Amino acid sequence: MLTIGLIGGLSWESTAIYYQTINSQTRKLLGRSHSARSLIWSFEFQEFEDMIFAGKWEEVSIRLSEAGSGLESLGADVALICSNTFHRIADTVADSLNIPLIHIADVVGREIVSHGMRKVGLLGTRFTMEQDFYVDRLARQGVEVIVPDKNDRELVDRVIFDELVRGVLNERSRQSYRRIIDELRLRGAEGVILGCTEIELLIGGGDVTLPVFPSARIHAESAVSFALERRLDAQLLV
């Protein structure tokens, strides 16, 4: 199996989902006591939260690129940024590496299309919901995205930064998210992307009437598929 490099700590709450999913998926596919070859570069999240709210994306880009290069030097064969929001600078990070970086929106889009859907709702930070870096990537696969109205976008963003990244799970916030998702359904959404990796701590498929696309789990499982498929390709070349 190839080695998976995780650029994590963005926040560690969601990085834990990545680590657990990657290893459980590896054991599911290989059986017995198998687990994944992986490396984690975990940041101190408060520093990065301060930087993105100050608009210091160039500094963020440099730090994430350094982390990716560090993972590569330690033997990673593929890299993931364990966050939707920080994919705002994913192309720059990818350009700094000699190994592939799997883009979260690409694999989420592929999963949506595999279910025959073309119009989905998106919940995430305000960066993810309001800027083009995520929506445009999905549009390349023919996926139309709708987001909540301004007040609800602010609510979704506040819950993420004031609660979820701090490990706080609030039932009132869960009900607000359920209401927002139902309103997206009424506007024509066929499914909903949980487009902030921490949202998966609060909302699952059993909480809402729409199919959900948990971005962190989809991203993590795609890394396992890549690591195993590339391993099999190498075996065929021997």
Side-chain angles (χ1 to χ4, degrees):
M1 183 177 189
L2 299 182
T3 300
I4 300 167
L6 303 175
I7 302 174
L10 303 167
S11 67
W12 72 260
E13 298 282 351
S14 61
T15 304
I17 295 175
Y18 275 85
Y19 185 72
Q20 182 180 48
T21 301
I22 285 170
N23 284 292
S24 62
Q25 181 72 356
T26 300
R27 184 169 59 193
K28 176 182 175 181
L29 294 175
L30 298 182
R32 299 175 64 198
S33 299
H34 285 287
S35 59
R37 298 179 185 273
S38 63
L39 299 164
I40 301 176
W41 191 292
S42 188
F43 285 110
E44 203 281 272
F45 184 60
Q46 186 64 61
E47 296 175 4
F48 282 81
E49 185 176 304
D50 292 343
M51 281 190 283
I52 63 175
F53 280 108
K56 296 180 179 179
W57 284 100
E58 184 175 353
E59 185 175 349
V60 171
S61 178
I62 292 169
R63 296 280 298 278
L64 265 62
S65 295
E66 289 174 346
S69 296
L71 290 168
E72 183 179 346
S73 70
L74 290 170
D77 300 295
V78 61
L80 283 75
I81 299 172
C82 301
S83 162
N84 289 273
T85 297
F86 288 87
H87 274 75
R88 186 181 188 275
I89 42 84
D91 289 343
T92 302
V93 176
D95 288 343
S96 72
L97 303 177
N98 296 306
I99 59 175
L101 185 143
I102 300 175
H103 197 292
I104 194 168
D106 289 347
V107 294
V108 169
R110 186 172 63 196
E111 184 72 11
I112 292 166
V113 171
S114 75
H115 284 76
M117 298 180 190
R118 291 294 177 181
K119 185 175 184 178
V120 295
L122 171 63
L123 300 185
T125 66
R126 61 181 177 85
F127 302 101
T128 303
M129 292 187 289
E130 296 178 356
Q131 298 179 10
D132 294 335
F133 69 92
Y134 201 89
V135 172
D136 284 356
R137 200 92 181 194
L138 291 167
R140 296 179 193 177
Q141 298 188 57
V143 177
E144 178 185 355
V145 172
I146 57 175
V147 298
D149 64 27
K150 184 177 185 298
N151 288 338
D152 282 341
R153 291 198 303 272
E154 292 175 355
L155 186 156
V156 170
D157 185 81
R158 179 187 58 74
V159 168
I160 290 168
F161 284 106
D162 290 352
E163 298 176 16
L164 299 183
V165 300
R166 301 175 185 181
V168 176
L169 302 181
N170 186 308
E171 182 60 29
R172 189 172 185 177
S173 296
R174 179 181 285 110
Q175 294 306 320
S176 293
Y177 271 45
R178 292 179 68 181
R179 173 188 60 77
I180 292 167
I181 290 170
D182 196 54
E183 289 178 4
L184 291 172
R185 178 186 64 81
L186 294 174
R187 291 170 54 195
E190 301 168 278
V192 62
I193 302 168
L194 305 183
C196 174
T197 46
E198 285 84 8
I199 294 177
E200 296 166 48
L201 300 168
L202 186 67
I203 293 289
D207 293 310
V208 293
T209 55
L210 281 179
V212 298
F213 295 93
S215 57
R217 297 180 193 279
I218 293 169
H219 200 201
E221 289 177 0
S222 77
V224 175
S225 296
F226 180 91
L228 291 175
E229 287 169 8
R230 288 291 295 272
R231 185 202 66 167
L232 293 173
D233 288 345
Q235 289 175 341
L236 291 173
L237 293 173
V238 173

